[in-house]
Amino acid sequence: MDILALASVLVFTFGLVSFGTLSVLWIREFRSGECDVLPIHGVMAIFSTFWFAALLISGALQQLQPEWGSTLPVLTWALAFVWPPLIMQMVFREAGVQTGRAGWRVILAVAWVAGILLSLLPVSYALGLIPGAWLRWAQLGFASMFILTGVFALLLGWSSSRAKESREERSNRIWNALLWGLLIVVMGTLIVGRPGLLQDVFEILGPAFPILFVFVNTYYLERLTFFDVFVKRGSFSLLVLLLLAAFFELSSFVWERPGLEGARVWLSALLFLPLALSLPWVYNQLSNWLDRVWLGRRFQPQEAIKHFLGALQEATTEEKLIEQAEQRLTEIVQAPVRVVQGADSSAAAAESTVDVPVRVEGEVTASLRVGRRFNRMPLFSSDLALLVSLADVFASNLENLRLQRRKRDQEQRAQELMIHASQSELKALRAQINPHFLFNALNAIASLIPREPERAEETVEQLAEVFRYTLRDSDKEWTRLEDEMEFVRAYLEVEKARFGARLRTSLEMEPELASARIPTMIVQTLVENSVKHGIMGIREAGEIRVRAWRQDDSVYIEVADNGPGFGRELREGEIPPSTKGSGFGLRSVQERLRGYFGQRAQLRLGRDAEDRWTQALIVFPVSVVRFRRRTG
C-alpha cells in the first residue's frame, strides 16, 4: 500500500468516526425535541456515515477478495451521484427564506432527477447490462453535476448574502467559495481528460471531499461540535489507529513463533485486553490535555464545582452572590460571564456566545451569559455541561438565600406585628391604670386626710409622680431601669396608703444597671399583677420584693410576693389565664419581651414551695445606654 492509499484509509476512517458521531448527536437531539439544526444536516451526516463505511468496506474487501475486481468501487461510485443534489439541498436550506424563488427549486429538482438517473449507470455496469465505455459518460456526468453544484452554491451564497455580516460569516463564505472553486477546477480536469498529479490525488482522496465542506461549515457555524467531534474524537481515532498498528506489529511475533499454534488467538486477546481497557482513560487524558493546551482550562469539573461553591457559601446577600458567581465563573471558563436577571438589552445579548438558564423553583429567573473566551477559543460540550452544573449550583444557593431572606422578612414582620400588639396592650394598660388606680388612690387619700394628713400629702406627691411618669413616657417604648424602679417605688407607696400595714415592700437594684435599657412599664406590670393576684388574695400581711441584678450578659428582674400563687404548678413557658382584670398582664410582658428580644428573652413563673413565695422572673440581654434624664 503506497502513501496515498494509506492516507485515504486514514481519511476515510476519520470521516466515518466524525460523521458517525455527528449522526448520533443529531438523532439524540432530534428524539429529545431539542434539535436546533436543520433536518438536512442530520440527513447529510447519516448519508456521510454510510458513504465512508461503504468506502472502507469496499477497500477492505478488495484487499481480501481481489477476484471481485472493480465491481465494488463501481457500486460505491453509484452512491456518489447522491452527493451533488444533497449538497445543493443543504446549501438551499441554509440560505433561508431569501431563496424562495421557483427557479432555485427547479434546479434542485433537475439535479435530483439527474443524480438518480446517472447512478443507474454504475449499477447497470456491475450487473453486466451495459459496456464499460458507458462509464466514461457517467464520469462526465458526475463531474458536470459537481460543477453545477459549485456554481449553484456560489450564486446562491452571493444572492443570499447580507449587507451586515459577522467576521465568522464572512470567513465562512470566503472558505466555501475557495473550496467550490477548487472543486470546479478539479472536475474540469476530469472532463477535459488531462491526467496529472491533481487528478491522481483526487481519485484517491476525492471521495473524502465532503469532509472539507463539513469541516469548514462546522468550524464557523458550530464551534462546539467542531472541536468536540473533529478535534477531540478525530484525534482520538487517529491515536487509536496508531496504537492498534503498534499492537499488531508487536503481536506479530506471537504468530511467527513456533509452538504457539493452539494458543495464538488467546495470547493475542490477552495482549489486546489492556489496550481495550485503557481506551476510555486514554480518551480522558487526551481530552484533558487538549483542554489545557488548546483552551487553557484551569479546572477539572469536580475542582471547578468545589471552587465555585466555596465562593458562593461566603455570600450573605443576593448582590454579593451574583458578584462572587461572576468572578469565579470567569476564572473557571476563562471568559467574561454575567448573571443576567429579567429583561436584557440586545447589545448585551449580541456579545454573548452561550446563555445557560438558571432555574429557581422550576422557573427561569436568570441566565449565565458567557462571552468570548480570552484566548478566542470556543467552548466544548463538556464546558456547556459544566456550566449547566454550575448554573444548578448557583440556582440552589440563590434559592436558599431567597428563602432565608423571606424567612427573615417574615420573622421581622411577625416581630413588628408583635411589637405593635404590645404597644396596643401597653396603651391599654396605661388607660387601665389611670381610672382604676386613680379611683383607689383617691379613696385611700380621702381616708387618710382626717387621720394622717401628712401621710395623705406624701401619698398625693407619690400619686403625682406615678402619673407624671405615665404621661411623660406615654410615647416611649424604652426607659432606664432606674426610672422604672422609681416609678414602681412611687406606685407601691400609693398602694401602701391603700393597704396600710398589710403591705410591705422592698426594692433592690445593682448600681451598674441604672442606665440599662428596658421596655417601659414592664416591671410595673409584674408589680401590679402581684398586688391584684397576690396581696389582695390573702388576709394576713403581704410582702412584695423587687430585685434587679446582672449575670454575665443578661439582666434579671424578679418580682416576688407571698400571695396564694397560681393554684397549680405551671409548665415551662405557660402563662396562667387571668381571673381578674383585663387579661393583658403577664401575657403582655411575655409578648413584649419576645417582640423586642426574640428568643434571647424569657418570662419565668414559679412558686417556691418551701418559702411559699410566688415568683415572676424576666431575663433579657443587657443594653446599657445613655439616656437624657427628664424631670418635671
Side-chain angles (χ1 to χ4, degrees):
M1 180 179 290
D2 57 16
I3 298 298
L4 290 178
L6 178 61
S8 66
V9 172
L10 295 177
V11 172
F12 295 163
T13 304
F14 179 80
L16 176 62
V17 173
S18 300
F19 284 104
T21 304
L22 288 175
S23 301
V24 172
L25 293 176
W26 181 81
I27 293 173
R28 186 183 302 169
E29 292 180 359
F30 183 79
R31 294 181 62 183
S32 65
E34 300 179 354
C35 184
D36 56 353
V37 298
L38 295 173
I40 189 63
H41 291 156
V43 174
M44 177 71 77
I46 294 174
F47 180 76
S48 301
T49 303
F50 283 106
W51 168 251
F52 286 108
L55 291 175
L56 286 173
I57 293 173
S58 175
L61 290 178
Q62 272 191 296
Q63 295 292 328
L64 297 175
Q65 301 291 339
E67 65 273 12
W68 289 4
S70 59
T71 302
L72 286 176
V74 170
L75 290 176
T76 305
W77 188 27
L79 292 176
F81 286 97
V82 181
W83 277 116
L86 189 60
I87 293 175
M88 293 171 68
Q89 188 75 42
M90 183 183 69
V91 173
F92 178 77
R93 291 297 182 188
E94 288 178 347
V97 296
Q98 302 180 35
T99 62
R101 289 179 292 180
W104 298 107
R105 299 181 183 275
V106 171
I107 298 174
L108 272 176
V110 171
W112 277 109
V113 172
I116 293 174
L117 292 176
L118 288 173
S119 66
L120 296 177
L121 293 177
V123 176
S124 300
Y125 169 77
L127 297 175
L129 300 177
I130 61 174
W134 286 48
L135 293 181
R136 175 58 181 170
W137 294 103
Q139 185 181 26
L140 293 176
F142 179 78
S144 300
M145 287 195 65
F146 260 106
I147 292 175
L148 174 64
T149 302
V151 175
F152 179 87
L154 291 174
L155 292 176
L156 193 57
W158 176 77
S159 63
S160 61
S161 61
R162 297 179 299 177
K164 293 182 178 180
E165 57 183 2
S166 64
R167 179 180 178 181
E168 285 77 10
E169 291 174 337
R170 183 169 60 254
S171 298
N172 184 30
R173 184 166 52 83
I174 293 173
W175 274 104
N176 274 304
L178 292 175
L179 289 175
W180 286 120
L182 177 61
L183 181 64
I184 292 172
V185 171
V186 173
M187 292 301 174
T189 61
L190 293 177
I191 292 176
V192 299
R194 291 183 179 178
L197 179 61
L198 185 62
Q199 183 175 344
D200 295 337
V201 173
F202 183 80
E203 287 179 354
I204 297 177
L205 301 181
F209 205 70
I211 290 181
L212 296 177
F213 291 98
V214 178
F215 191 87
V216 171
N217 283 277
T218 307
Y219 178 81
Y220 286 105
L221 302 180
E222 293 288 339
R223 288 288 183 88
L224 301 176
T225 305
F226 172 81
F227 281 95
D228 206 25
V229 174
F230 288 102
V231 175
K232 282 193 173 182
R233 301 183 194 274
S235 301
F236 176 68
S237 301
L238 295 178
L239 180 59
V240 170
L241 283 177
L242 294 176
L243 292 175
L244 288 175
F247 164 77
F248 288 120
E249 183 66 26
L250 292 175
S251 62
S252 61
F253 79 94
V254 175
W255 294 88
E256 297 172 357
R257 193 175 184 88
L260 299 178
E261 291 79 4
R264 286 172 180 171
V265 175
W266 289 101
L267 288 175
S268 298
L270 289 174
L271 291 174
F272 182 74
L273 183 62
L275 176 62
L277 294 177
S278 66
L279 289 181
W281 179 84
V282 171
Y283 178 77
N284 289 331
Q285 294 300 314
L286 176 64
S287 176
N288 294 335
W289 181 79
L290 288 173
D291 288 345
R292 289 193 304 270
V293 174
W294 205 324
L295 292 180
R297 292 177 62 180
R298 298 172 50 192
F299 301 93
Q300 294 302 316
Q302 288 135 355
E303 297 174 350
I305 292 177
K306 184 178 180 181
H307 183 66
F308 185 62
L309 186 59
L312 298 190
Q313 290 177 342
E314 300 175 357
T316 56
T317 64
E318 192 168 326
E319 293 75 14
K320 188 65 175 178
L321 183 73
I322 293 175
E323 179 184 348
Q324 291 285 353
E326 291 178 343
Q327 179 181 350
R328 289 298 172 92
L329 286 171
T330 300
E331 295 175 1
I332 292 171
V333 300
Q334 291 295 293
V337 180
R338 289 180 52 205
V339 178
V340 180
Q341 301 186 78
D344 189 16
S345 63
S346 58
E351 295 175 357
S352 67
T353 57
V354 172
D355 280 349
V356 180
V358 176
R359 290 181 172 86
V360 178
E361 298 180 355
E363 296 183 1
V364 178
T365 60
S367 65
L368 304 182
R369 183 148 291 170
V370 185
R372 298 188 182 279
R373 302 186 74 165
F374 301 135
N375 56 4
R376 310 303 295 177
M377 299 301 294
L379 296 169
F380 284 134
S381 59
S382 57
D383 294 318
L384 284 182
L386 177 60
L387 282 170
V388 171
S389 300
L390 295 177
D392 292 338
V393 173
F394 175 76
S396 177
N397 281 267
L398 181 61
E399 184 176 359
N400 290 337
L401 203 60
R402 289 179 176 177
L403 288 175
Q404 292 175 8
R405 185 180 62 189
R406 280 195 218 114
K407 183 179 179 181
R408 287 196 301 267
D409 292 343
Q410 290 174 355
E411 291 177 350
Q412 184 177 358
R413 284 195 294 270
Q415 187 174 0
E416 291 174 353
L417 291 174
M418 192 179 299
I419 291 175
H420 290 322
S422 300
Q423 292 173 346
S424 300
E425 292 181 358
L426 179 59
K427 292 179 180 178
L429 286 172
R430 288 167 177 162
Q432 171 186 325
I433 197 175
N434 290 336
H436 296 286
F437 179 71
L438 178 61
F439 177 78
N440 293 330
L442 291 177
N443 281 337
I445 292 171
S447 64
L448 287 174
I449 290 176
R451 295 181 292 107
E452 301 179 64
E454 293 183 359
R455 179 69 185 280
E457 183 179 353
E458 292 177 358
T459 304
V460 170
E461 291 178 356
Q462 298 299 328
L463 181 62
E465 183 65 25
V466 169
F467 279 96
R468 184 182 297 115
Y469 183 86
T470 57
L471 294 175
R472 182 188 66 194
D473 296 338
S474 60
D475 294 328
K476 291 171 55 179
E477 284 298 314
W478 301 89
T479 189
R480 299 191 332 156
L481 178 58
E482 183 182 25
D483 295 338
E484 180 78 2
M485 294 292 279
E486 285 295 322
F487 168 58
V488 169
R489 183 192 59 78
Y491 173 82
L492 288 176
E493 288 297 325
V494 175
E495 292 289 5
K496 282 182 181 180
R498 175 185 170 192
F499 289 96
R502 286 184 54 207
L503 177 61
R504 296 191 301 271
T505 64
S506 65
L507 280 77
E508 299 178 11
M509 179 188 68
E510 292 183 355
E512 65 180 57
L513 292 178
S515 296
R517 190 178 70 158
I518 67 169
T520 304
M521 294 183 67
I522 199 167
V523 181
Q524 189 275 339
T525 303
L526 297 179
V527 172
E528 183 181 3
N529 187 78
S530 291
V531 172
K532 286 183 178 181
H533 304 287
I535 305 304
M536 292 181 65
I538 59 176
R539 292 186 177 183
E540 62 271 17
E543 185 175 353
I544 296 177
R545 297 185 310 202
V546 181
R547 293 193 306 135
W549 72 95
R550 176 174 179 174
Q551 183 174 333
D552 297 328
D553 292 330
S554 298
V555 175
Y556 292 75
I557 301 177
E558 181 188 65
V559 178
D561 64 79
N562 61 344
F566 304 107
R568 60 181 175 84
E569 185 176 353
L570 300 177
R571 298 187 302 272
E572 183 178 356
E574 180 185 0
I575 302 297
S578 176
T579 56
K580 301 177 183 178
S582 62
F584 292 136
L586 298 176
R587 190 166 300 280
S588 171
V589 173
Q590 186 183 55
E591 295 297 330
R592 292 179 68 197
L593 286 173
R594 188 179 302 168
Y596 291 128
F597 302 105
Q599 299 298 323
R600 298 177 298 165
Q602 54 185 307
L603 170 63
R604 304 174 188 170
L605 301 177
R607 176 78 173 174
D608 188 343
E610 182 177 352
D611 296 334
R612 303 182 65 82
W613 281 81
T614 303
Q615 300 165 335
L617 178 67
I618 56 176
V619 183
F620 53 88
V622 64
S623 177
V624 179
V625 298
R626 292 184 177 273
F627 280 85
R628 186 179 63 181
R629 187 169 184 177
R630 296 180 295 179
T631 58

